[in-house]
Amino acid sequence: MNHKEPGKVTEAQIAVHWQEEQYFHPSEDFVAQANMTDKGIYDRFGLNNFPDCFHEYAELLSWYRRWDTTFDASDAPCWKWFVGGKINASYNCIDRHLDSNRNKAAIVFVPELEHEPHEVITYQELYVRVNETAALLRDFAGLKTGDRVTIHMPMSTDLPVVMLACARLGVIHSVVFGGFSGKACGERIADSGSSVLITTDGYYRNGKMLDHKVKADEAVKVVSEAGQIVEKVLVWRRYPDTYQSEAPMKPGRDFFMDEHLPEFRGVRVEPVELDADAPLFLMYTSGTTGRPKGCQHSIGGYLTYVAGTSKYVQDIHPEDVYWCMADIGWITGHSYIVYGPLALAATSVIYEGVPTFPDAGRPWRIAERLGVNIFHTAPTTVRMLRKFGPEEPKKYNFEFKHMTTVGEPIEPEVWRWYYDVIGKGKAAIVDTWWQTETGGFLCSTMPAIHSMKPGSAGPAMPGIHPVIYDEDGNTVAEGSGIAGNICIQNPWPGGFQTIWGDRNRYIKTYYEKYCKDSQSKDWRDWPYFPGDAATQSSDGYYRILGRVDDVINVAGHRLGTKELESACMTISDLAEAAVVPVTDDLKGKVPDVYVSLQPGVRESKDLEKAVVLAIETEIGKIARPKNVWIVPDMPKTRSGKIMRRVLASISNATDVGDITTLANPEVVEHIRDMVQS
Ligand code: WT7
């Protein structure tokens, strides 16, 4: 053991709590058809070939003009890629496919109501809609290259259409997740300086029509309180001609898209030949402080990176039917529903609703009917679907060649269920670690090259060179299994360019901690710090332990909340587990454990004891929880993430803050009564 200070448990000891798992190998069938089987790619993308190695990805795209400078560090750490290059993302995702794929489905939209027909948008149809919408944005809404526009829309075909219309003009889109409140949307409109808001009247969620336009009015109000003006609100309608919202349309400000689009019938808008390093979009994300950060992504670098990773990690071929269940309002949806798959001329499935509507067989019926062969979702969804047992998916005849997990660490137990039950023991799984800021994957196995190891994201992507530092900036030995802060040594094309309007915060948040020389123009002095802790095992695979702010320090012992949760999940009666830190007079912090049960399982004292025992067995007595709370459901965001912050507030009897954006705010009250009574 590597004690740095007597009495302190080192990261190494923590890391070993989550046992090393056996390997699973991709099937011969998968390997035989895979886009990337050449291990040499890792040499070609070695640090000695930085930055030119990324030409291999950039060449997947069509450029109006090739770049002069691959990488420019003159404004470090605001990196520029493919300087001098001219490109258009809309052209790359649509126009260039028309010759050979005009009549192929680009998007298949699946409405939540099962009796409503699917909507199939061919590349030709996408071309027409994007052109007419671009014409409207330009000639009716007055938008021009460099303007920002905020888009607050649910899952629909109109959303990618309007994004690609913006991209055609060089208008910078800022898509705000539809589940966010009007207030949250308004704050983002104000921060980005958008004068146009694009929204929808309503959409289905759990079988109910939600009023969405009402949020636009709230957003506009927030913007005016900030001293800015939203000049136009463009409203798509779920059903053209009928209005689903109670909110009145304000004359002169609010306009129905379906009423104005016919004025642009047949209009074609030439894609603007844009600088490769101009911004494509902003995506707001949360930081440790309250104010959201507008991550600014470039056109050429971003598209290069998502095209490359979609092709090789997602293994997308033009003939594949690809379904990513994320929401387009998050980065996963931008990169791996819209830009990546469409750049490769794939068919991308868009589903309007929740996976369990009207029942937990829905995803498998969709997959069966559309012939989906690549499936992409988050651990939280896998856990939720797992609650319904293995019999549900078995009723349906679907077959995935490839599956993705993203967004949080996946417990080995859950991984194996995904592999056995959903992948039927055949599909290759990639556990992709990345963030809003990084544009695309940072760590993942290359599905036909590496074996899979449950609980580990895998090695770094080609061209991504991580290093793990301790708190003092010392390098943690490679492959040692010792935990530390994972950083990326080098820039890559998918990385965001800055925080919109706040360069200082960009530097402070992501670079200050490990910057070697703040005046330097050499990228080697600027490791990127994503805010996650990780270990690297001797096989080179990285295991992401979670945000460094998700760590619980129990009497000086650092415990990853995820590790505790994983320990709980070894009990098959549990559906989900969430661990939060509770302040403790003696130990500083101790974990509080919240668990929900599989259907049909009854709560009991014995189960509580089993949870404590599992933690003691898997991790040790130092990790003993203060309480085990058996709850009917976890408080969750609309995108399905467990709100540990809310649970922590309940455990610590502090204010839970704004919970109106949760999917199930009522459960908070219930849990509070239980814990605080
Ligand atoms: C944070 C980023 C990645 C797009 C969706 C979320 C965590 C992400 C994994 C993974 C373990 C993961 C990290 C990261 N995370 N993927 N495969 N294994 N943790 O994007 O909202 O920007 O969140 O999600 O903590 O920093 P995001």
Side-chain angles (χ1 to χ4, degrees):
M1 275 186 256
N2 278 316
H3 283 283
K4 268 174 82 182
E5 289 171 44
K8 267 203 169 178
V9 173
T10 65
E11 302 281 6
Q13 288 169 278
I14 299 159
V16 296
H17 295 318
W18 196 347
Q19 300 286 310
E20 281 295 319
E21 296 286 329
Q22 71 182 107
Y23 292 106
F24 291 74
H25 306 287
S27 72
E28 278 173 27
D29 288 349
F30 179 81
V31 175
Q33 60 81 60
N35 279 331
M36 179 52 69
T37 52
D38 173 14
K39 287 194 180 100
I41 186 170
Y42 289 90
D43 296 329
R44 294 200 298 281
F45 280 73
L47 261 188
N48 51 331
N49 291 329
F50 177 90
D52 289 356
C53 52
F54 288 106
H55 294 179
E56 193 169 326
Y57 288 177
E59 279 154 10
L60 297 170
L61 303 177
S62 305
W63 298 76
Y64 296 115
R65 183 179 186 277
R66 198 182 160 91
W67 54 93
D68 309 308
T69 311
T70 305
F71 174 74
D72 173 0
S74 59
D75 189 27
C78 295
W79 318 117
K80 294 192 187 74
W81 284 89
F82 307 118
V83 180
K86 295 277 186 189
I87 190 164
N88 186 290
S90 182
Y91 177 86
N92 271 280
C93 291
I94 308 169
D95 306 45
R96 67 175 183 145
H97 305 318
L98 293 178
D99 278 352
S100 35
N101 284 305
R102 187 180 301 274
N103 222 2
K104 192 200 149 171
I107 292 169
V108 181
F109 175 69
V110 181
E112 195 190 60
L113 299 186
E114 211 160 359
H115 66 265
E116 287 191 354
H118 299 161
E119 189 184 3
V120 179
I121 314 284
T122 61
Y123 275 93
Q124 169 69 15
E125 177 65 15
L126 185 61
Y127 172 76
V128 170
R129 290 194 194 189
V130 166
N131 272 278
E132 293 177 353
T133 304
L136 183 152
L137 295 182
R138 184 188 61 190
D139 301 339
F140 179 74
L143 291 168
K144 52 184 193 315
T145 304
D147 289 348
R148 279 81 55 212
V149 56
T150 298
I151 303 173
H152 192 209
M153 288 172 69
M155 292 289 274
S156 63
T157 42
D158 303 327
L159 176 51
V161 163
V162 80
M163 287 163 69
L164 291 163
C166 289
R168 204 165 185 85
L169 300 168
V171 169
I172 304 167
H173 59 70
S174 168
V175 178
V176 174
F177 173 57
F180 273 126
S181 65
K183 180 156 183 283
C185 178
E187 286 163 358
R188 288 159 176 77
I189 295 173
D191 189 83
S192 66
S194 305
S195 58
V196 173
L197 168 64
I198 305 179
T199 187
T200 304
D201 61 342
Y203 62 103
Y204 285 103
R205 193 101 201 144
N206 258 320
K208 282 205 293 281
M209 174 61 77
L210 299 187
D211 186 337
H212 191 65
K213 163 64 166 63
V214 64
K215 293 184 176 179
D217 295 356
E218 170 72 18
V220 170
K221 206 168 106 223
V222 169
V223 175
S224 66
E225 283 161 11
Q228 295 179 40
I229 297 173
V230 175
E231 283 159 14
K232 282 197 170 66
V233 178
L234 306 179
V235 184
W236 294 88
R237 284 193 280 194
R238 177 66 172 73
Y239 302 99
D241 297 332
T242 44
Y243 186 45
Q244 304 296 330
S245 171
E246 298 285 314
M249 293 289 283
K250 190 168 178 219
R253 187 197 72 185
D254 301 351
F255 304 93
F256 289 128
M257 288 295 284
D258 58 285
E259 282 182 5
H260 289 274
L261 271 171
E263 294 158 24
F264 300 92
R265 182 166 297 138
V267 179
R268 299 291 178 259
V269 174
E270 268 306 298
V272 180
E273 301 188 12
L274 296 158
D275 289 338
D277 66 321
L280 177 61
F281 67 86
L282 307 180
M283 163 74 43
Y284 281 86
T285 188
S286 315
T288 39
T289 62
R291 219 162 63 81
K293 304 177 274 193
C295 297
Q296 176 185 318
H297 282 281
S298 71
I299 307 172
Y302 171 81
L303 202 64
T304 288
Y305 199 66
V306 297
T309 49
S310 293
K311 178 155 185 171
Y312 300 128
V313 180
Q314 294 302 100
D315 198 51
I316 296 179
H317 303 59
E319 57 275 21
D320 289 324
V321 180
Y322 170 87
W323 183 20
C324 171
M325 268 216 287
D327 194 288
I328 295 174
W330 305 118
I331 192 71
T332 305
H334 275 46
S335 300
Y336 299 112
I337 297 177
V338 180
Y339 285 110
L342 297 182
L344 299 177
T347 298
S348 189
V349 176
I350 296 180
Y351 173 51
E352 178 180 32
V354 297
T356 47
F357 184 85
D359 57 71
R362 189 67 189 282
W364 322 125
R365 288 197 292 281
I366 293 171
E368 177 185 87
R369 177 162 185 136
L370 299 181
V372 171
N373 67 341
I374 306 180
F375 184 70
H376 188 154
T377 193
T380 181
T381 309
V382 180
R383 285 186 218 112
M384 180 170 68
L385 293 167
R386 179 170 171 255
K387 273 207 263 206
F388 295 89
E391 295 313 314
E392 191 56 40
K394 279 193 191 132
K395 293 183 202 158
Y396 304 98
N397 184 17
F398 61 93
E399 190 171 317
F400 300 141
K401 70 166 185 179
H402 181 291
M403 305 193 302
T404 301
T405 158
V406 64
E408 48 175 330
I410 183 165
E411 300 84 348
E413 287 292 313
V414 176
W415 190 100
R416 279 192 291 269
W417 189 84
Y418 195 32
Y419 183 79
D420 291 333
V421 177
I422 306 305
K424 304 181 180 175
K426 282 185 281 198
I429 297 185
V430 291
D431 179 347
T432 56
W433 169 66
W434 58 297
Q435 326 173 283
T436 303
E437 293 87 338
T438 69
F441 307 143
L442 293 178
C443 286
S444 166
T445 50
M446 194 61 87
I449 294 181
H450 300 111
S451 298
M452 305 160 250
K453 191 168 72 172
S456 289
M461 292 296 304
I464 301 292
H465 300 278
V467 54
I468 298 178
Y469 291 122
D470 69 14
E471 278 300 311
D472 307 322
N474 305 307
T475 305
V476 169
E478 274 179 48
S480 63
I482 297 177
N485 295 329
I486 185 167
C487 291
I488 312 300
Q489 296 177 57
N490 60 295
W492 66 99
F496 69 138
Q497 300 178 296
T498 187
I499 294 175
W500 179 259
D502 203 344
R503 189 180 195 270
N504 285 342
R505 189 173 179 199
Y506 166 78
I507 296 175
K508 200 166 163 355
T509 312
Y510 302 98
Y511 295 98
E512 196 171 65
K513 192 172 172 80
Y514 292 115
C515 180
K516 293 170 195 158
D517 171 5
S518 64
Q519 299 308 310
S520 171
K521 303 285 177 208
D522 184 343
W523 57 267
R524 292 169 191 80
D525 291 322
W526 294 93
Y528 170 76
F529 176 43
D532 281 316
T535 61
Q536 189 192 28
S537 58
S538 53
D539 56 11
Y541 284 30
Y542 291 93
R543 180 187 302 169
I544 306 302
L545 303 174
R547 305 288 310 178
V548 287
D549 28 24
D550 274 346
V551 160
I552 305 184
N553 201 330
V554 187
H557 312 302
R558 285 185 69 184
L559 300 168
T561 49
K562 266 290 143 197
E563 295 173 284
L564 282 130
E565 291 166 10
S566 184
C568 299
M569 292 306 291
T570 59
I571 302 170
S572 58
D573 282 346
L574 301 193
E576 287 187 304
V579 174
V580 297
V582 193
T583 306
D584 181 274
D585 284 349
L586 266 179
K587 299 179 175 173
K589 300 269 187 217
V590 285
D592 234 359
V593 176
Y594 289 83
V595 296
S596 65
L597 307 179
Q598 301 271 11
V601 176
R602 292 170 64 114
E603 55 181 88
S604 67
K605 282 276 162 224
D606 281 349
L607 251 178
E608 290 178 25
K609 282 191 199 137
V611 170
V612 176
L613 187 66
I615 290 174
E616 287 186 352
T617 317
E618 296 284 312
I619 301 174
K621 287 212 164 89
I622 52 159
R624 248 191 120 107
K626 183 169 186 140
N627 302 287
V628 177
W629 303 108
I630 300 179
V631 296
D633 199 359
M634 301 287 178
K636 284 189 184 145
T637 62
R638 299 283 297 280
S639 64
K641 278 204 180 170
I642 299 176
M643 285 299 285
R644 291 177 178 76
R645 177 179 65 73
V646 170
L647 293 172
S649 305
I650 295 175
S651 281
N652 290 292
T654 56
D655 184 7
V656 294
D658 182 12
I659 53 165
T660 53
T661 56
L662 294 191
N664 52 355
E666 69 287 350
V667 83
V668 174
E669 204 55 43
H670 181 99
I671 300 175
R672 189 165 31 205
D673 286 345
M674 177 172 155
V675 173
Q676 294 177 3
S677 63

